[in-house]
Amino acid sequence: MKLRRVEPIYKLPTNRAATHLPLALGQVAGHIRGIPGWTLSDHADRLDKRHHDHRLDTAVELALDLSYQHLPAAEQQLLRLLALDPGHDIDAYAAAALTATGLAAARRQLRQLSLDNLLQTLSADRYTFHDLVRVYATGRADDDEPASAQRTALTRLFDHYLATATA
């Protein structure tokens, strides 16, 4: 008896960012299930950005993951949003604008991120990233913050900078 090959009636679309690997596709599906507030476009944008940036899991990223996972949710979000700032350093006023929180909360969170060695203190109220931590935080922002939330946070930050410059 000779077996013949049967072509599928319908071929599922593939995503170049998942490189046709079942494990990668499973991770993508898990990410989609785990974040129900995102649109499929948000998920596709995230995959495209990771693919474009050639992001790979490294020992450094895994080590930073351990620190990041132990942070409270508000500090995780602040770290992610701080990475969006195009400047070299940031103060508590700008951090409060990014996160839409109060100044006292922003100061407390910045101090804690500095104590956790995820930010470096430049002066009494100015903070910066180590280059590797910025790359990590940028990746987390791309993975965990929808593009619309990133735009909203940056709009608040730029409005703050404009108001400060005008004053």
Side-chain angles (χ1 to χ4, degrees):
M1 171 184 214
K2 185 176 180 182
L3 295 176
R4 67 185 178 117
R5 183 175 173 173
V6 177
E7 291 297 319
I9 296 171
Y10 176 76
K11 288 188 177 182
L12 291 173
T14 57
N15 186 321
R16 190 179 73 234
T19 63
H20 312 290
L21 298 174
L23 178 60
L25 290 172
Q27 289 175 336
V28 169
H31 193 271
I32 290 171
R33 272 193 314 273
I35 306 178
W38 283 31
T39 66
L40 288 177
S41 293
D42 290 332
H43 290 288
D45 290 343
R46 172 188 164 267
L47 286 174
D48 286 342
K49 180 130 177 72
R50 284 184 68 91
H51 181 73
H52 178 265
D53 294 344
H54 305 289
R55 288 207 21 231
L56 300 173
D57 292 329
T58 64
V60 172
E61 188 168 14
L62 292 174
L64 289 169
D65 265 339
L66 291 174
S67 296
Y68 178 81
Q69 290 170 4
H70 292 297
L71 295 174
E75 288 175 21
Q76 288 179 346
Q77 183 186 39
L78 176 59
L79 188 73
R80 293 189 307 262
L81 295 178
L82 287 174
L84 301 177
D85 181 32
H88 178 278
D89 58 317
I90 197 162
D91 65 5
Y93 293 96
L98 266 173
T99 57
T101 60
L103 183 60
R107 279 191 173 127
R108 184 176 58 256
Q109 291 168 352
L110 286 167
R111 237 179 279 118
Q112 189 57 50
L113 289 172
S114 178
L115 290 172
D116 291 338
N117 296 313
L118 293 169
L119 289 177
Q120 297 172 339
T121 305
L122 293 178
S123 64
D125 195 32
R126 298 209 65 82
Y127 298 87
T128 191
F129 280 106
H130 182 281
D131 291 342
L132 292 175
V133 177
R134 180 181 285 276
V135 169
Y136 173 80
T138 300
R140 291 309 301 222
D142 292 339
D143 290 348
D144 300 339
E145 295 289 335
S148 58
Q150 291 182 33
R151 284 189 300 274
T152 300
L154 283 173
T155 298
R156 285 192 307 264
L157 177 66
F158 296 150
D159 287 347
H160 160 72
Y161 286 150
L162 285 171
T164 302
T166 302

